């Protein structure tokens, strides 16, 4: 692991503001909401909206991908701080069940936090029920000296 | 493989119309354009727009995921015909290089087309250069008797 | 989910015998040991041996892949019973840390158990320490009517 | 990409010798044979043997994983030279078709070769037929200053 001090200074408000600044088009605070930041973990909500729908009234794959990606990103930033150029290097997602038309919750957990690479998983379930609708594993590259 | 007749009746226009009907919110004909449908293959274009951007002026991961997913979907539909409830069951994407601010091209190729399951890969490159920016592998479940 | 009755009749001994019968070359009871079968879960041990080593004295990737695969397989069989032709359809593994030269423990948990498809994850750690060395997600196809 | 000089000095014999030295237990020259090393590509053969079998007379998943992993590894080494501590960081494999009881051929192709990370894909087919039996995508971490 690393000797990094845990940046507990990221309140939900500070994280929301930071994400909105670095991803102005991502819908943070409109579509995606930070619900929890814990050591090695983060919880995000995707607010249900007609535009995420696909045939059968279910939420689209790209919307679930985006939720998984941002939830893992928040878990990484929660540990490493304001690293603007941290990037997703891969994401593997399994769609398990058609989600009902309701908000989705993504719960991210880091499996590894190295100096250059983080790996984490995200369990996605509907706010309306506990069964998983998708599960993702992502990897993130952390640049060495790009902290703000 | 299968005894399916190849539905060469899918012109680009017919595929665009069908996708727009089944995915009215996906931006088919606005953001995503079908460029080519060949046996076991499809080519899609993601038209560059400010809203796909992320820090550093690059195209976002979810936009590339959506391009990979729809390109594979078109390759599957090109083979199996109007199967409205075909669904993505998994997608693994590797991000290889930050794309420049330009259109992206996704070239999908089916690796397997079974009766119930299709597997394919997508190579994504910028319209501005030939080097790959992302590569994805997806799996699709094909329902037995849900053809329109 | 499914209406299957949970086959609690699989003792560790019965599972070991069944695996040895269907995978005579896999080293069940020699290299891989079933340690626990619980609803939707299984725990397997890979006994450390020189032949799993790779440069630096660490356990090889293929050995960890085999552990992940068999642990998920046992979790699936624990639910569906003696389905000889259940097959792995995909496996995605992330290697997180070089394992020390010691036994490895694979803890599998099913994320979805459908009629035709099961999806599960496996966390692998060294018996010598709790930190994860690898994490895998696999999918399994369950044939409809091939129970023994 | 990188400014590395292409190490065309790796003949098939030299690669075989180097792999045997760094992976003495991997069966290089017994089970796995280097067949071709080209820029960004490598071809390996898995010689059919009873011990790779699983139920139904087919080759086991771990054997195909090992073939994919070593083929990609050879493609990476072919580019970067003798980097003993290059490691697989992830591998995603899709099993497409049960292979017949015959040799398998793994054809690896690098999709990205960065300074620290390589990504490649492997198509696996039976020596007895051209249809794919498996397809894998792997990522490799290349240590900065560990060349022999």
């Amino acid at each position: 692991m690393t000797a990094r001090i845990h940046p507990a200074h990221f309140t939900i408000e500070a994280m929301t503001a930071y994400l909105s600044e670095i991803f102005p088009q991502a819908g943070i605070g409109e579509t995606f909401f930070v619900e929890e930041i814990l050591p090695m973990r983060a919880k995000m909500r995707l607010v249900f909206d007609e535009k995420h729908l696909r045939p059968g009234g279910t939420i689209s794959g790209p919307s679930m991908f985006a939720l998984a990606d941002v939830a893992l990103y928040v878990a990484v930033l929660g540990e490493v701080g304001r690293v603007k150029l941290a990037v997703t290097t891969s994401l593997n997602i399994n769609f398990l069940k058609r989600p009902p038309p309701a908000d989705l919750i993504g719960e991210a957990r880091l499996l590894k936090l190295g100096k250059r690479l983080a790996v984490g998983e995200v369990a996605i379930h509907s706010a309306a029920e506990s069964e998983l609708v998708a599960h993702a594993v992502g990897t993130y590259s952390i640049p060495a000296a790009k902290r703000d």
Side-chain angles (χ1 to χ4, degrees), chain A:
Chain A
M1 296 308 241
T2 76
R4 279 181 200 117
I5 292 159
H6 190 276
H9 34 82
F10 258 132
T11 60
I12 288 175
E13 292 69 30
M15 181 65 83
T16 301
Y18 184 60
L19 290 175
S20 303
E21 177 198 326
I22 62 172
F23 298 130
Q25 291 89 345
I28 308 298
E30 290 162 37
T31 301
F32 296 104
F33 289 83
V34 184
E35 298 227 321
E36 207 170 79
I37 308 168
L38 292 171
M40 304 287 276
R41 289 174 184 267
K43 192 196 285 189
M44 297 286 296
R45 177 182 292 259
L46 166 60
V47 171
F48 177 74
D49 188 292
E50 288 282 306
K51 78 179 171 211
H52 310 127
L53 289 185
R54 52 151 288 168
T58 192
I59 294 171
S60 76
S63 297
M64 288 189 269
F65 176 92
L67 174 61
D69 192 27
V70 73
L72 278 169
Y73 205 82
V74 167
V76 172
L77 292 184
E79 291 294 324
V80 304
R82 289 171 166 76
V83 179
K84 199 159 63 180
L85 296 176
V87 289
T88 312
T89 47
S90 72
L91 203 140
N92 182 53
I93 187 164
N94 279 274
F95 299 104
L96 305 174
K97 186 178 183 287
R98 290 167 185 268
D103 290 4
L104 288 183
I105 306 296
E107 302 196 74
R109 184 170 68 95
L110 299 186
L111 300 168
K112 171 190 171 139
L113 178 65
K115 272 176 203 152
R116 301 185 333 185
L117 185 74
V119 181
E121 67 170 345
V122 189
I124 298 180
H125 63 90
S126 171
E129 54 192 46
S130 65
E131 222 177 317
L132 291 188
V133 298
H135 181 270
V137 176
T139 58
Y140 294 79
S141 173
I142 303 166
K146 294 286 176 51
R147 311 274 172 91
D148 287 0

